[in-house]
């Protein structure tokens, strides 16, 4: 009885299937997490017919106004310091876009106060964010 010994050869080919799987999983994770990172503090936004949270670039300034204060991204800012911080931010980057997310149950005057401070600091590109009404 003769033994048939064949040498196994080492294959130097890359199996791309697991690589594609990992890339797709990472893509899905980034697609889900990115809006959460951009949003900042949770705010109950007003609902309009054409609303929708539009994501801008990483350089934009997210201002959230709630009943407990004003937040820049995730940091609560004291009312007395808000003007100075906004002026410093504008001085550092005068072309920065500002996205204002105001709680829909706030008094209109509170949102106007923050918009006035943004205007006095020199910001020209200011947008208000709303949610889209459900049909």
């Amino acid at each position: 009885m003769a033994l048939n010994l064949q040498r196994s050869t080492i294959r130097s080919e890359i199996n791309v299937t697991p690589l594609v799987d990992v890339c797709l999983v990472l893509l899905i994770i980034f697609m889900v997490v990115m809006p959460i990172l951009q949003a900042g503090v949770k705010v109950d936004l007003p609902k309009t017919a054409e609303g929708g949270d539009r994501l801008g670039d990483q350089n934009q300034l997210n201002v959230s106004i709630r009943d407990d204060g004003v937040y820049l991204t995730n940091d609560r800012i004291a009312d007395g310091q808000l003007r100075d911080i906004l002026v410093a931010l504008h001085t550092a980057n005068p072309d920065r876009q500002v996205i204002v997310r105001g709680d829909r149950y706030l008094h209109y005057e509170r949102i106007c106060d923050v918009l006035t401070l943004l205007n006095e600091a020199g910001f020209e590109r200011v947008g208000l964010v709303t949610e889209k009404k459900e049909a």
Side-chain angles (χ1 to χ4, degrees):
M1 189 165 156
L3 288 172
N4 188 3
L5 297 175
Q6 292 181 350
R7 291 190 157 192
S8 62
T9 58
I10 297 175
R11 300 178 101 187
S12 62
E13 298 172 2
I14 296 175
N15 188 359
V16 293
T17 304
L19 178 66
V20 171
D21 291 343
V22 169
C23 289
L24 287 175
V25 168
L26 288 174
L27 178 66
I28 291 169
I29 289 172
F30 284 122
M31 288 173 57
V32 170
V33 170
M34 195 54 122
I36 295 170
L37 294 176
Q38 291 281 337
V41 178
K42 175 107 173 88
V43 175
D44 191 11
L45 296 171
K47 298 185 186 310
T48 59
E50 294 296 321
D53 203 359
R54 291 178 173 82
L55 298 176
D57 59 6
Q58 293 284 38
N59 194 28
Q60 78 183 13
L61 177 64
N62 291 311
V63 178
S64 300
I65 309 167
R66 298 190 337 182
D67 58 350
D68 64 341
V70 177
Y71 293 80
L72 297 180
T73 309
N74 290 325
D75 301 325
R76 186 177 185 282
I77 306 298
D79 290 339
Q81 298 175 340
L82 184 59
R83 178 186 309 268
D84 296 333
I85 291 173
L86 290 175
V87 168
L89 289 171
H90 182 266
T91 302
N93 189 353
D95 294 330
R96 193 173 209 181
Q97 180 181 7
V98 180
I99 302 299
V100 178
R101 302 170 67 242
D103 192 286
R104 67 175 157 169
Y105 296 111
L106 283 176
H107 289 285
Y108 185 63
E109 183 178 7
R110 178 68 178 131
I111 296 174
C112 287
D113 290 341
V114 174
L115 291 174
T116 301
L117 289 175
L118 287 165
N119 187 25
E120 290 173 355
F123 289 104
E124 295 177 357
R125 298 173 45 198
V126 179
L128 299 173
V129 179
T130 61
E131 288 181 347
K132 187 169 183 161
K133 281 185 183 177
E134 297 177 14

